[in-house]
Amino acid sequence: MTDQASSPESGIPGKPTSASRTTLSHIMTHNDTNLLGTVHGGVIMKLVDDAAGAVAGRHSGGPAVTASMDEMVFLEPVRVGDLVHVKAQVNWTGRTSMEVGVRVLAERWNESTPPQQVGSAYLVFAAVDADGKPRRVPPVLPETDRDERRCQEAQIRRTHRLARRRAIMELREKRAAEGLDD
């Protein structure tokens, strides 16, 4: 397992993945539907953000705010009456930020089949103090091979986020230098 979680420079003891893992379950109603009669993607996104926020707050030991949603994938439609389970866990931690991975499952109300994965997402949260300033978070301690894989994949996503941000800033600076300021 990765030793990043027990790094001495953080000064904060690490927490195992299971310490903050959670599942939020919700029955979908007609109030949740879109014009097609299926559950609106925004409703699912709110549940994802709620579950991820709970996990980030638990892991960091205080308030945490959504900094970005790296990816949201909808695999299958969710229908009225479905029991939706949103499972979230911290995959990776930085100094003040955390990536939370989320899986969305749905159980059909009229079928006796196991829950089916209907979506997934990755969100980045920043831990904040009472003044809204960033604060340190405990390192995450992966407990299983799956947790370790998720941590490694999260590091790849972080590298890509930072590279994309850097490339966009460089492009904007170049355009501004050429007088093409938008």
Side-chain angles (χ1 to χ4, degrees):
M1 305 302 153
T2 336
D3 205 31
Q4 67 111 158
S6 55
S7 61
E9 68 268 5
S10 76
I12 302 173
K15 287 186 177 179
T17 307
S18 62
S20 58
R21 187 179 291 141
T22 194
T23 300
L24 172 71
S25 297
H26 188 78
I27 296 174
M28 298 291 104
T29 69
H30 286 287
N31 293 335
D32 301 319
T33 60
N34 59 27
L35 296 175
L36 299 175
T38 57
V39 173
H40 198 287
V43 170
I44 300 299
M45 290 173 75
K46 182 179 182 331
L47 294 173
V48 163
D49 192 44
D50 287 346
V55 166
R58 278 182 178 179
H59 183 82
S60 68
V65 295
T66 311
S68 69
M69 180 176 274
D70 197 42
E71 183 176 316
M72 178 79 214
V73 177
F74 297 101
L75 302 169
E76 295 288 332
V78 177
R79 295 181 172 81
V80 170
D82 285 355
L83 178 58
V84 172
H85 306 287
V86 183
K87 298 176 175 282
Q89 76 172 49
V90 174
N91 290 335
W92 172 90
T93 54
R95 195 173 57 79
T96 62
S97 63
M98 305 156 270
E99 182 196 90
V100 179
V102 181
R103 290 182 60 218
V104 182
L105 303 143
E107 290 183 57
R108 306 301 182 200
W109 70 273
N110 58 348
E111 298 174 14
S112 59
T113 56
Q116 175 184 9
Q117 184 170 352
V118 294
S120 65
Y122 299 102
L123 297 88
V124 177
F125 279 79
V128 295
D129 63 18
D131 297 321
K133 304 287 187 219
R135 62 180 175 81
R136 286 200 168 288
V137 298
V140 67
L141 302 172
E143 298 174 278
T144 65
D145 288 340
R146 178 180 281 175
D147 293 342
E148 181 64 30
R149 175 186 54 78
R150 288 176 176 161
C151 185
Q152 292 169 346
E153 290 172 357
Q155 291 171 6
I156 292 168
R157 281 186 292 275
R158 179 177 187 270
T159 299
H160 285 235
R161 275 192 305 274
L162 294 174
R164 183 176 60 234
R165 183 181 307 146
R166 197 170 31 255
I168 289 169
M169 294 309 295
E170 288 171 4
L171 177 63
R172 288 179 180 173
E173 289 169 7
K174 178 182 175 218
R175 288 180 56 83
E178 294 171 353
L180 299 172
D181 197 22
D182 307 324

